Amino acid sequence: MNETRRDIPRAGASKLPRILVVEDEADLALLLSYNLEAEGYSAETVERGDEAELRLVESPPDLVILDWMLPGVSGLEICRRLRAREATRTLPVIMLTARGEESERVRGLSVGADDYVVKPFSVPELMARVRALLRRSRPERIADRLTAGDIDLDRETRRVRRGARDLHLGPTEFRLLEYLLERRGRVFSRAQLLDGVWGQSVEIDERTVDVHIGRLRKALSRGRERDPIRTVRGAGYSFDETYGKI
Ligand code: CA
């Protein structure tokens, strides 16, 4: 089904899933591309619907985030045309709609959008939907399992093992470990972890992060086992990138 794809290889980005953001609000487009790149995708943004059409024909990405109201051609029309062309019939599309436009949401789904998100939305939630949709459409692009040394996290079964031992993590500890493992070596402040793991809209004391890091450590390491979570004084936490390597 991909024989009609014509990828334009870009240096260093050829293996990353490519996401096209079609959004005419410059601040939102910037916020999305920043967050998509932080999640490990290659992001490109265009402002106009007609410009998006050209990009989509030239070089279909792996997923499109498509605003409804656009100059040039509307998001609805773009989605309809994507579905009509063989090369993009199954291309994952997430539509962005303004709050309260219930009838538009229904129309968006009726022209074949895979998902929709109502503005204003939480960025971590949109990132989770992007990940879920990419996993459904191209499972080989997003690993089901994250491993570091003897630690193995399986997203499909939600099981975490260290060596032969099953670890019993609460849902927050699971997501925290998943988040840190996906970005191993990077140091996150408590505020960044709250945004990335709990979501921007929640108001939780930053000390909550310490409590869950403590629980995660307790579940991960027994006795003299090496602790893979690094505390970086004055900065935050990271999953030790040398774990399992040295
Ligand atoms: Ca718009």
Side-chain angles (χ1 to χ4, degrees):
M1 115 191 148
N2 290 328
E3 62 270 23
T4 49
R5 276 175 59 111
R6 289 186 299 150
D7 281 329
I8 297 171
R10 289 195 289 169
S14 56
K15 280 189 165 176
L16 302 176
R18 289 174 48 229
I19 300 185
L20 181 68
V21 177
V22 189
E23 171 58 76
D24 56 320
E25 288 170 50
D27 291 352
L28 184 54
L30 187 66
L31 176 76
L32 291 179
S33 70
Y34 174 82
N35 278 279
L36 288 166
E37 286 183 353
E39 293 274 326
Y41 307 119
S42 156
E44 186 186 352
T45 61
V46 296
E47 287 178 11
R48 298 183 52 89
D50 40 4
E51 205 184 325
E53 289 259 82
L54 286 175
R55 296 295 300 127
L56 287 162
V57 172
E58 272 170 15
S59 167
D62 294 299
L63 183 145
V64 188
I65 298 177
L66 188 57
D67 186 30
W68 185 279
M69 299 295 284
L70 292 166
V73 180
S74 77
L76 183 79
E77 186 53 33
I78 292 173
C79 192
R80 201 195 314 273
R81 292 179 193 172
L82 283 173
R83 292 301 177 245
R85 275 199 302 271
E86 187 56 40
T88 54
R89 198 177 298 281
T90 61
L91 177 66
V93 176
I94 298 178
M95 291 220 53
L96 304 180
T97 70
R99 187 177 289 285
E101 293 170 329
E102 291 293 331
S103 58
E104 293 202 339
R105 284 196 239 170
V106 172
R107 280 166 68 206
L109 294 175
S110 75
V111 295
D114 297 279
D115 203 351
Y116 61 83
V117 171
V118 180
K119 292 178 180 177
F121 50 82
S122 117
V123 171
E125 191 197 326
L126 178 59
M127 295 300 128
R129 293 192 187 202
V130 165
R131 196 161 51 233
L133 205 46
L134 280 174
R135 278 177 63 196
R136 279 213 305 272
S137 64
R138 288 171 185 266
E140 77 285 0
R141 289 295 194 102
I142 305 277
D144 278 336
R145 296 172 81 147
L146 296 170
T147 54
D150 58 353
I151 295 172
D152 181 79
L153 178 149
D154 187 329
R155 300 194 227 235
E156 209 61 55
T157 60
R158 317 274 307 167
R159 277 177 85 182
V160 182
R161 299 171 69 84
R162 181 163 186 168
R165 184 167 97 243
D166 265 314
L167 306 182
H168 301 285
L169 303 184
T172 303
E173 286 72 37
F174 181 91
R175 178 74 192 114
L176 192 52
L177 178 62
E178 184 186 22
Y179 192 84
L180 292 172
L181 260 176
E182 273 179 325
R183 301 157 182 85
R184 69 194 72 163
R186 274 182 58 186
V187 180
F188 293 94
S189 69
R190 290 165 180 80
Q192 286 172 323
L193 288 173
L194 278 179
D195 272 2
V197 177
W198 280 260
Q200 268 177 339
S201 50
V202 291
E203 288 194 24
I204 303 179
D205 194 292
E206 290 190 1
R207 277 170 296 186
T208 304
V209 175
D210 300 334
V211 171
H212 288 278
I213 287 277
R215 284 186 197 156
L216 177 59
R217 280 187 159 135
K218 205 169 163 190
L220 281 175
S221 309
R222 271 189 191 165
R224 289 167 173 272
E225 281 177 339
R226 180 169 165 195
D227 178 5
I229 310 287
R230 280 175 64 217
T231 302
V232 182
R233 203 174 291 274
Y237 299 104
S238 80
F239 191 96
D240 191 342
E241 62 192 330
T242 69
Y243 184 81
K245 293 178 184 161
I246 56 169

